[in-house]
Amino acid sequence: IRRPPRSTPLYSSAASDVYKRQDIDGDGWLNVDETNCLTDAFDSSSFPNDMDFDGICDPLDLDMDGDGVTNDADYYPTDG
């Protein structure tokens, strides 16, 4: 087994960029999105809620139900 020279960093910014674009658990959500949405990027049964299926998890979605009214101005923000 060949090993990289010791001068090669184990974790480079390029490697972390690749990780962020990956979906390591295969649940359809990128690792970085799962981390931002407070779900486990390594557990396929743990994935963000997305009520309106717009690809933005509910905790970060300004309009969770997709009715065009922001959550803070919407009397029923989850009635989509």
Side-chain angles (χ1 to χ4, degrees), residues 50-74:
D50 182 13
M51 181 182 301
D52 60 358
F53 304 104
D54 64 353
I56 303 169
C57 67
D58 292 342
L60 302 179
D61 196 341
L62 298 177
D63 178 19
M64 284 190 304
D65 60 6
D67 64 358
V69 180
T70 59
N71 298 330
D72 54 347
D74 196 341

Side-chain angles (χ1 to χ4, degrees), residues 7-80:
S7 63
T8 303
L10 292 177
Y11 301 102
S12 69
S13 61
S16 67
D17 287 344
V18 168
Y19 169 79
K20 290 176 185 177
R21 290 190 300 269
Q22 290 179 340
D23 174 19
I24 202 142
D25 61 4
D27 64 2
W29 287 85
L30 296 178
N31 300 335
V32 68
D33 293 335
E34 286 207 63
T35 300
N36 290 337
C37 296
L38 306 176
T39 55
D40 187 349
F42 295 94
D43 180 354
S44 64
S45 67
S46 171
F47 49 87
N49 290 327
D50 182 13
M51 181 182 301
D52 60 358
F53 304 104
D54 64 353
I56 303 169
C57 67
D58 292 342
L60 302 179
D61 196 341
L62 298 177
D63 178 19
M64 284 190 304
D65 60 6
D67 64 358
V69 180
T70 59
N71 298 330
D72 54 347
D74 196 341
Y75 192 71
Y76 297 104
T78 60
D79 71 346

